[in-house]
């Protein structure tokens, strides 16, 4: 066969050729591993639609090249082969910012956490000052592992507020007003790495389908209940962002039209009756600022009647909002995340009872409600997943 003197176009595999088909199938497998982390060969087959034989052949080739690693595991009680992208020294970063904290995780393309740290931040911290504090911690973590900054591919950063995806800008509605107007470009400049900016609840939802126990769930809602209340949506297997990216703002569902004024400008939003800020005000009217969500968790687990009543009332409001939302999107699973998750049934049960009263019976009966599986790591892990999903696949091979 003549090979010399061919143009680049002549050397390139034809769209219908076997080599082109293998290349596309290879890319589908790599994309699935980037999006979901380690998968068994059977799970890869279901996700990509490729036959078991095709998956096995391509995985073997990728393993021979060092692009993936395999391990023996158990799935549904049977031996299975688990596949993950190889660790070649490159990393992504997941970042989660809250009212008084930040969490940093360093993650390989194979979804292995190699370093993690949480730090406290002062109440009302200026956004970019908080980011610079995290940059110093990130530098320390990288130095401890001997990682060069050039090895960091990207960072996914979550914060509690709406993001206009057209400009990558934090907009009005966040519980952190100091972040309004901050852009992804501002964050990239401060951290000296590419940054993908997203709402923290969106990242919580993404983490549950890529790190948690719900990788096979196509329609999932993750609700983060804290100082604010927001939700992230996975619809038909993909994060849902709507028109401009401002979705899942369940905390601004109107519960009482004559209620308290919310920071969004409306009255009686869910956040005004069920956020942890409101719970603390009810429980510690004389000195709410001296207490935190850990006190709510402690008192609830001790069976304190007043705390359980506050959780019952908040749960009723949250369940009503979730029932109305479920009637629109019909999720398979609704997960409750945020700092109150350790309370467990004492908080989950009033939410579920109220949900059952407000959801259409068929929807209510077919929707599972549970606590999130990743605790306070969910949003940072979701940030790492976001970064991995947006890194050029060819850069990982």
């Amino acid at each position: 066969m003549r090979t010399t003197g061919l143009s680049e176009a002549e050397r390139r595999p034809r769209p219908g050729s076997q080599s082109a088909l293998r290349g596309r199938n290879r890319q589908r497998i790599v994309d699935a591993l980037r999006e979901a982390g380690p998968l068994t060969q059977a799970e890869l087959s279901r996700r990509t639609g490729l036959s078991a034989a095709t998956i096995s052949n391509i995985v073997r080739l990728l393993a021979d090249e060092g692009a993936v690693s395999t391990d023996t595991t158990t799935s549904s009680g049977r031996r299975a082969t688990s596949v993950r992208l190889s660790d070649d020294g490159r990393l992504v970063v997941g970042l989660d910012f809250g009212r008084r904290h930040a969490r940093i995780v360093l993650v390989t393309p194979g979804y292995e956490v190699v370093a993690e740290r949480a730090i406290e931040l002062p109440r009302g911290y200026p956004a970019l000052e908080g980011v610079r504090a995290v940059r110093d911690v990130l530098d320390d973590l990288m130095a401890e592992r001997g990682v060069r900054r050039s090895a960091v591919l990207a960072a996914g950063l979550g914060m509690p507020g709406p993001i206009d995806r057209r400009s990558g800008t934090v907009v009005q509605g966040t519980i952190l007003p100091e972040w309004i107007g901050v852009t992804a470009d501002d964050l990239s400049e401060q951290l000296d790495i590419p940054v993908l900016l997203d709402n923290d609840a969106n990242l919580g939802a993404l983490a549950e389908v890529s790190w948690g126990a719900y990788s096979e769930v196509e329609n999932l809602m993750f609700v983060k209940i804290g100082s604010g209340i927001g939700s992230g949506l996975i619809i038909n297997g993909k994060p849902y962002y709507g028109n401009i990216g401002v979705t899942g703002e369940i905390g601004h569902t109107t519960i009482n039209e004559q209620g308290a004024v919310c920071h969004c400008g409306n009255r009686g939003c869910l956040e005004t009756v069920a956020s942890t800020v409101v719970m603390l005000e009810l429980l510690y009217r004389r000195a709410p600022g001296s207490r935190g969500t850990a006190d709510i968790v402690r008192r609830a687990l001790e069976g304190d009647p007043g705390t359980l009543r506050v959780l019952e009332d908040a749960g009723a409001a949250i369940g009503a909002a979730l029932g109305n939302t479920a009637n629109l999107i019909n999720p398979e699973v609704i997960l409750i995340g945020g700092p109150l998750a350790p309370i467990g049934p004492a908080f989950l049960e009033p939410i579920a009872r109220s949900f059952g009263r407000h959801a259409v019976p068929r929807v209510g009966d077919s929707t599972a409600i549970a606590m999130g599986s990743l605790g306070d790591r969910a949003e940072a892990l979701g940030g790492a997943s976001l970064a991995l999903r947006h890194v050029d696949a060819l850069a990982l091979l």
Side-chain angles (χ1 to χ4, degrees):
M1 180 181 293
R2 180 173 64 94
T3 57
T4 58
L6 295 178
S7 67
E8 181 180 351
E10 289 175 312
R11 291 193 301 270
R12 189 180 304 129
R14 297 186 303 278
S17 69
Q18 283 296 315
S19 58
L21 179 60
R22 284 194 298 271
R24 290 195 296 272
N25 289 343
R26 172 192 175 104
Q27 192 64 60
R28 288 161 72 179
I29 292 172
V30 171
D31 288 344
L33 294 172
R34 281 197 304 139
E35 291 186 0
L39 296 168
T40 66
Q41 292 192 155
E43 289 170 335
L44 277 170
S45 181
R46 288 193 292 270
R47 280 180 172 267
T48 62
L50 300 174
S51 70
T54 298
I55 293 291
S56 180
N57 289 335
I58 295 178
V59 166
R60 186 169 59 251
L61 290 172
L62 289 171
D64 288 343
E65 296 169 7
V68 302
S69 60
T70 60
D71 195 10
T72 300
T73 186
T74 301
S75 178
S76 301
R78 298 181 179 180
R79 284 169 58 88
T81 299
S82 177
V83 185
R84 69 166 69 234
L85 291 172
S86 296
D87 177 5
D88 63 356
R90 287 178 286 187
L91 301 167
V92 297
V93 180
L95 301 171
D96 170 45
F97 283 85
R99 187 183 287 257
R100 300 187 65 177
H101 81 275
R103 181 177 293 273
I104 306 102
V105 294
L106 280 174
V107 175
T108 71
Y111 279 68
E112 292 182 290
V113 177
V114 297
E116 181 173 3
R117 190 171 297 173
I119 63 171
E120 292 186 3
L121 295 170
R123 186 184 298 274
Y125 63 91
L128 297 185
E129 286 188 16
V131 173
R132 285 192 286 271
V134 162
R135 181 189 61 196
D136 292 341
V137 174
L138 179 59
D139 288 342
D140 290 343
L141 293 176
M142 291 168 60
E144 290 170 6
R145 291 193 55 84
V147 175
R148 300 186 308 276
R149 187 165 292 275
S150 60
V152 179
L153 298 169
L157 186 152
M159 54 80 56
I163 315 295
D164 188 328
R165 288 174 65 84
R166 295 171 298 183
S167 59
T169 304
V170 181
V171 296
Q172 181 68 39
T174 173
I175 63 167
L176 301 179
E178 299 83 7
W179 282 73
I180 294 174
V182 173
T183 69
D185 289 342
D186 295 331
L187 301 170
S188 298
E189 182 178 347
Q190 292 295 322
L191 293 173
D192 195 27
I193 52 177
V195 172
L196 298 153
L197 177 61
D198 209 335
N199 173 267
D200 60 351
N202 289 340
L203 296 185
L206 184 57
E208 291 289 354
V209 297
S210 52
W211 293 87
Y214 301 94
S215 62
E216 297 296 308
V217 174
E218 291 281 305
N219 295 283
L220 177 145
M221 183 177 185
F222 177 87
V223 184
K224 183 176 181 182
I225 300 167
S227 301
I229 301 176
S231 65
L233 303 173
I234 303 294
I235 304 295
N236 295 330
K238 302 292 183 182
Y240 180 73
Y241 290 105
N243 181 27
I244 64 171
V246 183
T247 59
E249 293 294 328
I250 194 171
H252 300 291
T253 301
T254 300
I255 300 297
N256 177 7
E257 292 186 356
Q258 305 305 316
V261 175
C262 179
H263 63 85
C264 75
N266 291 327
R267 277 189 178 274
C269 293
L270 180 62
E271 283 188 11
T272 68
V273 298
S275 70
T276 56
V277 172
V278 173
M279 294 182 197
L280 288 167
E281 289 175 350
L282 291 171
L283 292 169
Y284 303 101
R285 289 183 181 276
R286 294 182 179 178
S290 65
R291 304 287 182 165
T293 52
D295 296 287
I296 302 176
V297 173
R298 175 182 54 78
R299 287 176 53 156
L301 294 177
E302 291 172 352
D304 175 69
T307 303
L308 295 179
R309 178 54 191 265
V310 167
L311 291 170
E312 178 78 30
D313 292 346
I318 293 165
L322 291 179
N324 290 326
T325 303
N327 290 337
L328 292 174
I329 65 172
N330 187 22
E332 180 182 347
V333 176
I334 296 176
L335 298 176
I336 307 301
L340 300 183
I343 295 173
F347 190 35
L348 188 64
E349 288 172 2
I351 294 174
R353 286 195 299 270
S354 179
F355 174 82
R357 290 195 297 270
H358 291 88
V360 172
R362 286 286 181 91
V363 171
D365 293 342
S366 62
T367 304
I369 301 182
M371 289 297 183
S373 64
L374 298 169
D376 56 9
R377 306 173 74 210
E379 294 78 10
L381 293 175
S385 295
L386 181 70
L388 285 169
R389 284 178 173 230
H390 286 78
V391 171
D392 182 0
L394 295 178
L396 299 177
L397 294 179

